[in-house]
Amino acid sequence: MKKEKILINIEDLSDINNYKKIGINNFLFAVDYFSIGYKSFKLSEIKNIEGNKFLYINRILNSTDVDKLKELADEICIFDGIIFEDIAVYNIFKDKDILLIWNQSHFATNYSSINYWLNNVDSAIISNELTKLEINEILDKCNKNLVLNIFGKNPVMYSRRRLISNFNNNFNLYNDKNVILKEPITKNEFNAVEDDNGTFIFNNTYFNLIPYLNEFNNDKILYYLICANDLSFSEMVKYLNGKIDNTNDGFLNKKTIYKLGVKK
Amino acid sequence: MIELLSPAGDLEKLKFALMYGADAVYIGGQDYSLRANAKNFSREEIKSAVILAHNLKKKVYVTVNIVFHNEELYGLKEYLTYLDSINVDGIIASDMTVIKLHSELNLKLELHISTQASISNYETALFYKKLGAKRLVLARECSKEDIERIKKSTNLDLECFIHGAMCTSISGKCVLSNYCTNRDSNRGGCAQICRWEFEYLKDNEKITNIPFSMTPKDLNMVPFISDMIKVGVNSFKIEGRMRSIYYIATVILVYRRLIDKIVNKTLTDEYTIYCLNILNRCANRESTPQFFDKLPGISEQYYLGRQELSNQDFLGLVLDYKDGIATIEQRNNFSVGTKVQFFGPNIETFNYEITEIMNEDNELIDVARHPQMITKLRVPTRLEKYDMMRLKVFDI
């Protein structure tokens, strides 16, 4: 894996220099108010950081939010790129000098739709709920290089509701807004995080594609995306060097079904 | 234009929806629809549905609203061309491949952008307008102000859900089902994991023994239909392609009459309360407005192990009425002395106490206890085929 192709989500600004020392120079930052689920920053905190700086705008926006985003457009354009969820972001920045990466969660699942977007933006992040076979077909048939998520807690739900506060308030519990939800039958654990703009839920086991990287056409990959949620720099480096403990391979080897009783 | 839009899981439900006052129905084909495990419509049935609806001057929209994986792309062009050739009025889609094919194939059917696209601001709405959308099905999270601004900016037809189950998440932004059951929620396999209960933990310790739940109550927009009309909503959409004919008939009739009374300026507070009572009883769930007037809080969701007990309110379906005798197919037990209510698309709802019951052979019986048995009741008020008899719980 070429380190210069890694794009890593930053939760602690003091990690940046450490990552630079091992050859990682592309950084992704969640932005206050416009991001959800991740540790976010004010634009003023990150604008002077050296390296390639991408903003992660992953909220679904209402019209007032769109107005606020427009007011910040010039300030945002000093960054290198935006990874966006809401299409309003594309509409606002499409004619500006900033790299745009489409990341409509769970929607980048076929080469045809991704190619539509690649006619309009610079790249797209391939969705996580796909098999190796599906990802490779997408990489082969897409017209530009793509971003592949290779490590992190995968997002599994985004709600506009304050699900944790509602529950805590209903039962008069201390309102900790970062909790684990464990499904008792399947034993799946999810990490739910809430702020004023809603609740964001991650699968609590780290997804790890790194051991499979040689099974993909790496020439078609623009960036390897890493979201090192809650992991320190030193822990993350262990995974980059091949550690696989406490990780899973998501759907890489497991095709999802949707019609019960029908063999696809 | 104000349209009452009903779900229809199969041809029978479609007939009831149109009969009971829907202006249009949305249905799913056997492929590419987000209710993959509903009965859905074969191609021939879609054709029949369109003919039936058009004969009544009503419309049929077909959901092509899965998020496609590579393998589903094959056959899509041919399917869309087929839908166009049989005069389907519109497709409901969110995947960009469907949206671009609508334009490339020069289809005459309307393109409606699904609520899966999470449209909740005017810029996103303008994006889809540019791609040829005739109608936007807005995100359920839209407030009154959001809807108003989108309407003013786009002047497109706007469709909003007004009744039925809610996703806990923003529609399309949930793959809990994939992770817990391997069933792909965005291709119609959702196992509704958000309605399950969870252990609630922090640092590997239980925060409480109370199971965590996040299930929203159903949506019910009865108090705000008038406001929705004012801000420019055109199509009022009921959720529930997997619901029964009784549910469809009840909900559609309530909203049909409510909308008509609003338009005719004859709506009373009493009728509004009656609507709310009937709707809450019909679904066995509480229902409430959600995002239109506020951000939903603790009162808009359920806690603890709530059970959805089905009631037995639907007593019978009228098959015939002649000389004061109604022939009724039994759906739940009723007996002499049961207080019932008849309702139907062309009658005023009325109360009635059963005084005698005859079986198919005109023999007097005390109780109709066999499912789908044919009974005859002496009912002085004229009924029509497909009217329904329910237990009287609320006064009219």
Side-chain angles (χ1 to χ4, degrees):
Chain A
M1 176 176 37
K2 292 178 181 171
K3 294 270 176 51
E4 62 269 25
K5 279 192 173 186
I6 290 177
L7 170 61
I8 192 159
N9 180 49
I10 295 297
E11 299 214 312
D12 181 345
L13 295 179
S14 67
D15 284 340
I16 290 175
N17 280 336
N18 292 325
Y19 282 120
K20 281 183 182 173
K21 282 176 193 163
I22 62 167
I24 297 173
N25 207 35
N26 307 303
F27 306 110
L28 179 62
F29 302 94
V31 188
D32 283 357
Y33 189 76
F34 295 107
S35 305
I36 184 166
Y38 300 86
K39 161 74 180 154
S40 64
F41 300 93
K42 293 182 178 64
L43 294 175
S44 58
E45 285 179 280
I46 51 177
K47 68 179 181 184
N48 293 323
I49 289 170
E50 288 184 9
N52 292 321
K53 302 183 289 290
F54 290 79
L55 301 180
Y56 191 33
I57 299 181
N58 70 334
R59 267 190 58 210
I60 297 292
L61 307 171
N62 65 26
S63 293
T64 309
D65 301 329
V66 167
D67 294 340
K68 286 182 183 171
L69 190 62
K70 284 180 177 177
E71 285 169 18
L72 293 173
D74 289 343
E75 208 176 328
I76 284 173
C77 283
I78 66 164
F79 289 84
D80 296 286
I82 306 173
I83 294 178
F84 66 94
E85 164 78 51
D86 196 305
I87 292 169
V89 179
Y90 163 74
N91 247 20
I92 296 168
F93 291 94
K94 64 187 175 195
D95 298 322
K96 298 194 185 287
D97 185 21
I98 189 164
L99 196 132
L100 293 175
I101 298 178
W102 176 60
N103 182 39
Q104 212 174 343
S105 305
H106 321 301
F107 272 45
T109 52
N110 72 75
Y111 56 84
S112 169
S113 299
I114 296 173
N115 269 334
Y116 167 82
W117 275 104
L118 294 179
N119 289 332
N120 299 283
V121 298
D122 300 285
S123 187
I125 300 183
I126 301 172
S127 292
N128 296 322
E129 298 76 35
L130 299 176
T131 63
K132 284 187 286 190
L133 199 67
E134 289 173 315
I135 293 171
N136 269 322
E137 189 175 5
I138 287 171
L139 288 171
D140 287 345
K141 293 184 177 174
C142 278
N143 301 330
K144 288 181 184 169
N145 290 358
L146 299 171
V147 179
L148 185 62
N149 176 39
I150 62 166
F151 190 91
K153 290 183 177 178
N154 287 342
V156 295
M157 193 218 261
Y158 171 16
S159 174
R160 181 67 189 88
R161 297 165 190 272
R162 293 174 191 158
L163 299 171
I164 304 173
S165 292
N166 288 345
F167 183 82
N168 289 343
N169 291 340
N170 191 64
F171 293 107
N172 293 316
L173 300 170
Y174 172 71
N175 199 14
D176 189 330
K177 294 180 182 175
N178 186 335
V179 296
I180 300 297
L181 309 177
K182 182 176 181 180
E183 201 292 301
I185 300 168
T186 62
K187 310 292 181 201
N188 278 286
E189 286 191 9
F190 302 99
N191 180 197
V193 182
E194 181 196 292
D195 68 20
D196 287 347
N197 293 311
T199 309
F200 204 79
I201 304 182
F202 298 91
N203 191 37
N204 200 39
T205 304
Y206 290 96
F207 167 69
N208 188 358
L209 182 145
I210 296 168
Y212 297 96
L213 266 179
N214 61 3
E215 297 180 42
F216 295 95
N217 181 355
N218 285 258
D219 291 340
K220 293 295 297 283
I221 295 171
L222 178 68
Y223 289 118
Y224 304 110
L225 178 64
I226 293 176
C227 290
N229 323 52
D230 307 327
L231 284 181
S232 67
F233 168 75
S234 58
E235 286 171 311
M236 189 60 237
V237 168
K238 287 179 192 166
Y239 286 108
L240 285 173
N241 290 333
K243 181 181 170 182
I244 56 169
D245 301 355
N246 303 317
T247 65
N248 69 26
D249 58 5
F251 297 95
L252 293 176
N253 296 299
K254 188 169 62 174
K255 191 174 176 176
T256 51
I257 57 167
Y258 56 101
K259 282 194 177 181
L260 303 182
V262 177
K263 199 171 181 183
K264 286 288 288 183
Chain B
M1 182 270 280
I2 295 175
E3 173 186 274
L4 178 58
L5 176 56
S6 174
D10 58 33
L11 262 177
E12 186 195 27
K13 291 171 187 172
L14 177 139
K15 287 174 189 167
F16 275 91
L18 296 178
M19 210 176 346
Y20 272 77
D23 300 302
V25 290
Y26 62 100
I27 64 177
Q30 287 173 345
D31 293 305
Y32 314 125
S33 162
L34 271 179
R35 297 291 176 272
N37 296 298
K39 190 178 169 194
N40 289 322
F41 288 69
S42 66
R43 291 187 179 204
E44 276 308 305
E45 286 171 330
I46 298 174
K47 193 173 176 180
S48 302
V50 172
I51 291 169
L52 199 152
H54 286 182
N55 283 340
L56 298 168
K57 300 197 181 329
K58 300 190 176 196
K59 293 182 176 178
V60 175
Y61 309 127
V62 176
T63 56
V64 190
N65 57 349
I66 63 165
V67 178
F68 286 72
H69 285 216
N70 298 337
E71 63 184 357
E72 278 90 39
L73 296 172
Y74 302 100
L76 176 60
K77 248 184 216 180
E78 187 263 327
Y79 181 65
L80 294 175
T81 306
Y82 174 76
L83 295 181
D84 203 47
S85 74
I86 60 169
N87 299 317
V88 163
D89 296 282
I91 49 168
I92 304 170
S94 61
D95 194 292
M96 206 47 85
T97 296
V98 182
I99 293 168
K100 72 180 179 181
L101 279 176
H102 176 266
S103 159
E104 283 172 16
L105 297 171
N106 202 21
L107 302 179
K108 62 182 185 296
L109 50 73
E110 290 180 3
L111 173 64
H112 298 181
I113 305 299
S114 165
T115 193
Q116 296 287 108
S118 313
I119 301 169
S120 48
N121 66 70
Y122 63 93
E123 283 292 353
T124 302
L126 287 168
F127 171 85
Y128 285 113
K129 181 178 183 178
K130 204 171 169 189
L131 293 181
K134 173 75 168 53
R135 177 184 293 191
L136 308 176
V137 188
L138 298 182
R140 287 176 171 94
E141 287 72 16
C142 281
S143 67
K144 182 180 171 184
E145 291 70 30
D146 294 328
I147 297 170
E148 199 165 18
R149 278 195 78 179
I150 291 169
K151 184 71 180 186
K152 280 181 182 162
S153 301
T154 66
N155 205 28
L156 287 175
D157 286 355
L158 300 185
E159 179 177 311
C160 291
F161 280 94
I162 57 167
H163 201 88
M166 299 279 289
C167 280
T168 303
S169 70
I170 298 168
S171 295
K173 304 297 168 202
C174 177
V175 287
L176 272 173
S177 177
N178 302 46
Y179 281 81
C180 286
T181 65
N182 206 38
R183 287 166 55 175
D184 188 352
S185 49
N186 282 333
R187 287 189 292 171
C190 177
Q192 303 198 11
I193 307 300
C194 63
R195 295 179 185 274
W196 295 15
E197 291 177 347
F198 297 82
E199 291 173 15
Y200 194 45
L201 310 169
K202 181 79 181 181
D203 301 327
N204 293 320
E205 298 286 330
K206 272 192 182 181
I207 297 170
T208 171
N209 285 322
I210 304 167
F212 182 87
S213 62
M214 50 182 153
T215 312
K217 292 179 183 173
D218 278 11
L219 176 67
N220 179 333
M221 289 299 289
V222 165
F224 292 110
I225 296 296
S226 181
D227 291 311
M228 293 178 83
I229 293 172
K230 280 180 198 154
V231 297
V233 175
N234 304 96
S235 181
F236 295 79
K237 184 175 199 169
I238 311 292
E239 178 276 343
R241 275 188 279 155
M242 295 169 89
R243 301 283 197 168
S244 66
I245 57 165
Y246 175 66
Y247 179 90
I248 297 290
T250 304
V251 175
I252 291 297
L253 191 62
V254 162
Y255 277 102
R256 172 79 280 152
R257 291 189 173 163
L258 182 74
I259 290 170
D260 291 346
K261 282 175 190 289
I262 290 169
V263 171
N264 299 331
K265 299 185 172 29
T266 55
L267 181 64
T268 60
D269 290 346
E270 291 74 20
Y271 189 76
T272 303
I273 291 166
Y274 172 72
C275 290
L276 292 169
N277 286 336
I278 290 290
L279 291 173
N280 281 332
R281 175 90 188 174
C282 174
N284 312 310
R285 285 181 189 165
E286 286 179 65
S287 57
T288 177
Q290 298 271 349
F291 290 89
F292 187 78
D293 58 326
K294 64 187 173 313
L295 184 66
I298 59 173
S299 304
E300 280 72 38
Q301 67 181 78
Y302 285 114
Y303 309 94
L304 295 176
R306 192 183 62 89
Q307 291 187 323
E308 285 177 18
L309 297 173
S310 127
N311 67 43
Q312 277 82 47
D313 286 2
F314 182 25
L315 301 181
L317 180 66
V318 176
L319 299 182
D320 189 25
Y321 183 88
K322 199 174 176 186
D323 301 331
I325 303 288
T327 304
I328 292 175
E329 184 182 270
Q330 192 262 30
R331 293 303 170 95
N332 277 296
N333 285 8
F334 57 87
S335 57
V336 172
T338 303
K339 289 178 180 167
V340 303
Q341 215 166 50
F342 284 99
F343 67 101
N346 300 312
I347 60 169
E348 286 299 321
T349 304
F350 65 93
N351 298 334
Y352 178 70
E353 181 171 335
I354 296 174
T355 53
E356 63 176 39
I357 306 170
M358 289 172 279
N359 65 14
E360 207 167 3
D361 300 323
N362 295 323
E363 296 163 337
L364 287 172
I365 55 174
D366 291 331
V367 187
R369 57 167 58 94
H370 304 297
Q372 294 193 295
M373 71 181 286
I374 303 300
T375 64
K376 295 177 183 178
L377 303 184
R378 209 173 289 281
V379 182
T381 306
R382 181 163 190 80
L383 294 167
E384 291 184 4
K385 189 177 183 182
Y386 301 127
D387 288 343
M388 292 186 181
M389 181 172 82
R390 68 183 167 216
L391 192 67
K392 176 188 166 289
V393 180
F394 305 105
D395 276 321
I396 302 153

